[in-house]
Amino acid sequence: MRHRSLTLAAGCAMAVALLTAAAVAAPGAAPAAGPAAAPTAAPAAPVGVPPKADFDRDGHTDVVTGAPSATVAGQERAGYAAVAYGGPGGRHQTLTAAAPEAGAAFGGDSTARDFDGDGYTDLAVQNRTAVAVHWGSAQGLAAKATPLPEAAAAGGFPVTAGDFDGDGSADLVAGKRGGDAWGDLRVLYGPFGRDGATARAADLPTGRTFEPTGMTAGDITGDGRDDLVTTHAFEEMSESSQFWAGSASGLSTTSRTLTDAASATIGDVDKDGRGDLVIRTVPGGVVENLPYDAGTVKVLYGTASGPSTTRTTTLTQNSAGVPGASEDGDQFGAALAAGDANGDGYADIAVGIPYEDLAGAANGGKDAGSTVLLRGGASGLSGTGARAYHQDTADVPGVAEAGDRFGAAVALPAGQGLVAGAPGEDTASGTDSGALWLRLAASGTYALNPGDLQAPGQGAELGSYLTD
């Protein structure tokens, strides 16, 4: 992969106000700012889609990505999280653990909600076996985080959030810390105090040996309360996913079994008032086969009792209207995200294809990566109007190269278009420094890399993860 810097689309460069969160080395170029239009009243988000993250409550959507492989303060794979604020000036912020630890992979998982109910979005970040909250304010996220207290018994991967009891306060789910049941989950019900204390807590016994491989939250039943879906695996085999229904008392402590899944997201793609579960299937139930899989995305439409087992849609790159072709190892659906990309009220689905080979791309184009935006509609999700985006797409900064893995993480945050990460991107900051593209499928597409953030670059793999 060639080393080069990523710049904004023509006419989008501007001065930056860099908001420094923690002592982080600063190799690379001066920060580059993204475009920021004045906020406008947006249509209501589709059911099931995560709420807009607005850490400084300026009306603009903010985006968080992780660089979990970064060396920080001499600690290998200590990791950091990077915040791209959506407001004027395009300021950025880098967050690290108060005491970076080797292998902690800070920023490898996080979730954004208003946990204390003050109107500012907060950020809960996973750090090895702990979770800490950076509180939002008019100045943005606090540099110093509040660790969840030991009594919370919550920490580690994965972490997500929702309003599971419908009381208007954000709740947090994470792996349970302590005890003998490694695979169980801990639910912390809001509101949270600034000391990390919560209104109440409960356990979710998964009955699995290991913690979930992933979690996604959203209202699938249409009752105004978020539900939870967890995905699972044991060694080389996948296990059935689990659906946990929300209720007035919170998440049910018993789950319903769903089909195995490698990744998942929730959004109302047919605008019927219920979130639909979108998953990537596991070929033959063998996790070890995923790297060789072309990739299949399946929609389980929402019903009053949860994801449907009879009304479903299956899509691949061989489906009508879907760009590209199904090829072994592409991994269509390796990353999934839901959001309303065009403001029509239907949830659209961003599909990451990080191992897509691009003909004509630099260095042979193997694993250059791509994304596809699938459109929702009255009949559900389909290939109609679908479009692919990668670094060789017109008006997208950069050049597609072998090993970039563009689309390893995707998001559809309100007002930011399609966001995609490429952790294998090489820049002036170093090999595999990674980069993030914002406002794909919208005007003013731009990219950020560690040099723009004045953050560690060599091997950082920025863009590995995007906050829900």
Side-chain angles (χ1 to χ4, degrees), residues 105-134:
F106 181 93
D109 201 3
S110 60
T111 187
R113 296 292 192 279
D114 180 9
F115 291 110
D116 60 355
D118 65 353
Y120 295 93
T121 306
D122 311 303
L123 183 70
V125 185
Q126 172 267 342
N127 185 42
R128 196 189 290 271
T129 59
V131 176
V133 180
H134 293 267

Side-chain angles (χ1 to χ4, degrees), residues 34-37 53 56 58 60-63 83-91 416 446:
D56 53 5
D58 65 351
H60 296 276
T61 301
D62 308 319
V63 175
V83 186
Y85 287 91
R91 63 189 178 123
Q416 289 282 12
Y446 67 105

Side-chain angles (χ1 to χ4, degrees), residues 330-432:
D330 280 351
Q331 300 200 53
F332 180 80
L336 295 167
D340 186 359
N342 58 1
D344 64 358
Y346 295 95
D348 307 305
I349 302 297
V351 181
I353 323 168
Y355 298 95
E356 176 106 85
D357 297 346
L358 297 179
N363 302 325
K366 182 174 175 55
D367 298 342
S370 180
T371 61
V372 165
L373 181 59
L374 298 173
R375 299 292 188 182
S379 59
L381 196 68
S382 72
T384 302
R387 185 176 173 186
Y389 296 89
H390 48 73
Q391 286 191 78
D392 283 349
T393 301
D395 299 322
V396 175
V399 177
E401 299 166 318
D404 282 348
R405 289 183 287 133
F406 186 93
V410 292
L412 285 170
Q416 289 282 12
L418 169 61
V419 178
E425 179 78 10
D426 293 349
T427 72
S429 298
T431 303
D432 293 339

Side-chain angles (χ1 to χ4, degrees), residues 60-434:
H60 296 276
T61 301
D62 308 319
V63 175
V64 179
T65 187
S69 298
T71 297
V72 179
Q75 301 297 306
E76 294 184 0
R77 296 186 62 81
Y80 63 84
V83 186
Y85 287 91
R91 63 189 178 123
H92 314 135
Q93 182 179 15
T94 302
L95 301 169
T96 70
E101 297 178 65
F106 181 93
D109 201 3
S110 60
T111 187
R113 296 292 192 279
D114 180 9
F115 291 110
D116 60 355
D118 65 353
Y120 295 93
T121 306
D122 311 303
L123 183 70
V125 185
Q126 172 267 342
N127 185 42
R128 196 189 290 271
T129 59
V131 176
V133 180
H134 293 267
W135 304 106
S137 72
Q139 291 73 45
L141 289 173
K144 184 178 180 180
T146 300
L148 295 182
E150 287 289 333
F157 179 90
V159 62
T160 195
D163 183 5
F164 303 114
D165 53 9
D167 67 351
S169 296
D171 312 314
L172 181 74
V173 186
K176 184 180 179 182
R177 186 170 57 187
D180 297 327
W182 289 5
D184 288 352
L185 300 172
R186 186 74 165 167
V187 188
L188 306 180
Y189 290 97
F192 286 62
R194 283 295 179 103
D195 59 356
T198 62
R200 59 191 177 95
D203 292 340
L204 291 186
T206 67
R208 305 298 168 82
T209 303
F210 300 122
E211 67 276 1
T213 57
M215 299 193 294
T216 185
D219 183 7
I220 294 176
T221 60
D223 65 355
R225 304 179 182 96
D226 287 329
D227 309 302
L228 179 71
V229 174
T230 57
T231 58
H232 300 267
F234 179 78
E235 296 180 345
E236 75 278 5
M237 303 299 293
S238 62
E239 296 180 302
S240 56
S241 302
Q242 295 177 304
F243 167 74
W244 311 81
S247 71
S249 59
L251 286 173
S252 171
T253 55
T254 58
S255 66
R256 178 184 136 199
T257 298
L258 299 174
T259 186
D260 301 16
S263 57
T265 191
I266 297 171
D268 186 5
V269 299
D270 57 1
K271 204 162 67 172
D272 67 350
R274 297 186 176 99
D276 306 307
L277 177 64
V278 184
I279 65 171
R280 177 195 176 186
T281 62
V282 181
V286 182
V287 174
E288 290 182 341
N289 287 344
L290 289 172
Y292 314 104
D293 180 36
T296 299
V297 169
K298 185 175 184 178
V299 186
L300 287 70
Y301 291 93
T303 74
S305 59
S308 177
T309 57
T310 56
R311 186 186 171 217
T312 63
T313 296
T314 299
L315 295 165
T316 71
Q317 285 187 279
N318 286 342
S319 299
V322 178
S326 289
E327 299 169 321
D328 290 347
D330 280 351
Q331 300 200 53
F332 180 80
L336 295 167
D340 186 359
N342 58 1
D344 64 358
Y346 295 95
D348 307 305
I349 302 297
V351 181
I353 323 168
Y355 298 95
E356 176 106 85
D357 297 346
L358 297 179
N363 302 325
K366 182 174 175 55
D367 298 342
S370 180
T371 61
V372 165
L373 181 59
L374 298 173
R375 299 292 188 182
S379 59
L381 196 68
S382 72
T384 302
R387 185 176 173 186
Y389 296 89
H390 48 73
Q391 286 191 78
D392 283 349
T393 301
D395 299 322
V396 175
V399 177
E401 299 166 318
D404 282 348
R405 289 183 287 133
F406 186 93
V410 292
L412 285 170
Q416 289 282 12
L418 169 61
V419 178
E425 179 78 10
D426 293 349
T427 72
S429 298
T431 303
D432 293 339
S433 61

